[in-house]
Amino acid sequence: MWPNGSAPGPCFRPTNITLEERQLIASPWFAASFCLVGLASNLLALSVLAGARQGGSHARSSFLTFLCGLVLTDFVGLLVTGAIVVAQHAVLFDWRAVDPGCRLCQFMGVVMVFFGLCPLWLGAAMASERYLGITRPFSRPAAASGRRAWATVGLVWTSALALGLLPLLGVGRYTVQYPGSWCFLTLGAQPGDVAFGLLFSLLGGLSVGLSFLLNTISVATLCHVYHGQEAAQQRPRDCEVEMMAQLTGIMVVATICWMPLLVFIAQTVLRSPPAMSPTGQLSRATEQRLLIYLRVATWNQILDPWVYILFRRAVIRRLHPRLGARPRSLSLQPQLTQRPTVQ
């Protein structure tokens, strides 16, 4: 229970946890190690991306722009949220005493929503870009692909920030969550809490569903090109298969990491009777499940860069040299008989 003193700010609600329990749950060494591994992974991916962006086709340049936006988002997200959580775990400060006006809590809530939705939306944007590039290769001007990709990344960032600011405008609330080391949307029964919780869950879930649908169509199209009657004349380039492998891996990681949390939020805010008491208290089981699902979701920021690093052609060929071999008959095909490959 938070200590009784002055009138609590809007981000505080009662929680059943003692200082001894917080010390057992909040390990500064685990939090710091988690953040350092994530930051190092994303820095490594950014360095690899910097080298890969030199040269290559317009389509690959556009895809790498989206990847750069995704990795950069994961890096900044880990840096900002990790700094707050590690500091809290290290000193176990009383949030009410440090942040009575709830400004830090509201900032962290906005950051959590922003950096939670951005990877999911960027994944959907990447899936849309590859779907158009594979199924409608001549429908877009290639020269504008890089600018269009950066404009899309900027639109995703702006949209996620706008959604994260809704609780500051009265739609939903950000409150301190169990064990008192982070802030997130409130799983309450008030109309604003329900609306914001459902909006967050539905938008995140729809982006995962859209990614799955478009990636399935894109993979099926590539398989048809590979195994069709004219496969020798229209075999896709290695980079097209590489991009789809990386995008599929990103989608699988996002689904595994985020869907449990998104489903849990929707189920909790729609529960009848309400999961949160009139005083704003959740059961210990609900608070613990929310913490577990949140920790699973944060693994997305660590695994995303490794999907790109490990699913590159150079790594795959080193592990499976036969995958890089091309049929001799294909290499002897006259260039004029080959159809233009997808963008």
Side-chain angles (χ1 to χ4, degrees), residues 38-81:
L39 293 174
S41 300
N42 283 279
L43 281 177
L44 177 60
L46 285 173
S47 65
V48 175
L49 277 168
R53 284 179 59 83
Q54 299 177 0
S57 65
H58 290 292
R60 182 159 176 78
S61 176
S62 177
F63 183 79
L64 292 179
T65 297
F66 281 112
L67 266 178
C68 184
L70 176 64
V71 174
L72 185 62
T73 301
D74 288 338
F75 176 82
V76 178
L78 277 172
L79 183 64
V80 175
T81 58

Side-chain angles (χ1 to χ4, degrees), residues 12-14 276-282:
F12 299 106
R13 55 184 184 82
M276 182 172 288
S277 68
T279 60
Q281 188 169 353
L282 292 170

Side-chain angles (χ1 to χ4, degrees), residues 1-340:
M1 184 77 69
W2 291 105
N4 293 323
S6 58
C11 65
F12 299 106
R13 55 184 184 82
T15 55
N16 290 321
I17 185 170
T18 63
L19 180 60
E20 290 75 16
E21 290 175 318
R22 290 177 64 192
Q23 291 175 337
L24 292 175
I25 298 173
S27 169
W29 300 112
F30 174 80
S33 301
F34 187 92
C35 290
L36 288 176
V37 171
L39 293 174
S41 300
N42 283 279
L43 281 177
L44 177 60
L46 285 173
S47 65
V48 175
L49 277 168
R53 284 179 59 83
Q54 299 177 0
S57 65
H58 290 292
R60 182 159 176 78
S61 176
S62 177
F63 183 79
L64 292 179
T65 297
F66 281 112
L67 266 178
C68 184
L70 176 64
V71 174
L72 185 62
T73 301
D74 288 338
F75 176 82
V76 178
L78 277 172
L79 183 64
V80 175
T81 58
I84 299 175
V85 173
V86 171
Q88 205 284 336
H89 285 183
V91 300
L92 290 177
F93 62 75
D94 184 347
W95 204 298
R96 176 174 294 190
V98 173
D99 184 33
C102 292
R103 294 182 179 179
L104 178 61
C105 183
Q106 290 176 345
F107 170 76
M108 187 174 187
V110 173
V111 166
M112 293 287 289
V113 170
F114 175 83
F115 290 110
L117 287 178
C118 275
L120 302 180
W121 289 359
L122 286 173
M126 295 165 66
S128 302
E129 190 274 341
R130 280 291 78 216
Y131 168 79
L132 293 175
I134 291 174
T135 62
R136 303 175 183 272
F138 303 110
S139 63
R140 306 166 303 156
S145 59
R147 295 193 301 271
R148 183 177 57 248
W150 277 119
T152 303
V153 172
L155 179 62
V156 167
W157 287 342
T158 303
S159 301
L161 179 61
L163 184 70
L165 292 174
L166 286 180
L168 277 62
L169 302 177
V171 182
R173 294 174 296 160
Y174 292 127
T175 52
V176 179
Q177 305 292 334
Y178 174 89
S181 58
W182 59 294
C183 288
F184 196 49
L185 58 86
T186 305
L187 304 181
Q190 297 183 14
D193 296 336
V194 175
F196 188 63
L198 287 178
L199 186 62
F200 179 83
S201 299
L202 290 177
L203 289 177
L206 286 175
S207 64
V208 173
L210 180 63
S211 298
F212 179 81
L213 175 63
L214 296 181
N215 287 337
T216 300
I217 297 175
S218 299
V219 171
T221 302
L222 284 181
C223 290
H224 175 73
V225 170
Y226 257 120
H227 302 291
Q229 295 180 353
E230 300 178 358
Q233 284 77 27
Q234 53 184 334
R235 181 180 292 272
R237 294 168 295 185
D238 287 344
C239 68
E240 294 157 2
V241 179
E242 177 192 47
M243 287 188 287
M244 282 310 307
Q246 292 169 345
L247 187 53
T248 302
I250 290 172
M251 178 195 69
V252 171
V253 168
T255 302
I256 295 175
C257 291
W258 274 99
M259 285 308 296
L261 177 62
L262 297 175
V263 172
F264 176 73
I265 291 174
Q267 289 179 337
T268 304
V269 297
L270 292 176
R271 187 181 302 173
S272 182
M276 182 172 288
S277 68
T279 60
Q281 188 169 353
L282 292 170
S283 67
R284 175 61 63 87
T286 300
E287 290 178 328
Q288 290 176 339
R289 289 179 63 189
L290 177 61
L291 179 62
I292 292 173
Y293 291 146
L294 187 279
R295 287 178 171 175
V296 172
T298 55
W299 274 97
N300 186 68
Q301 297 172 308
I302 292 180
L303 297 178
D304 271 346
W306 286 105
V307 170
Y308 169 69
I309 293 171
L310 296 178
F311 283 22
R312 290 177 299 134
R313 279 173 290 171
V315 177
I316 295 176
R317 285 173 176 172
R318 186 170 300 176
L319 297 176
H320 301 282
R322 294 178 60 186
L323 294 180
R326 282 189 174 274
R328 180 176 179 81
S329 60
L330 177 63
S331 63
L332 298 178
Q333 290 280 343
Q335 294 297 321
L336 294 177
T337 63
Q338 295 184 4
R339 287 181 51 184

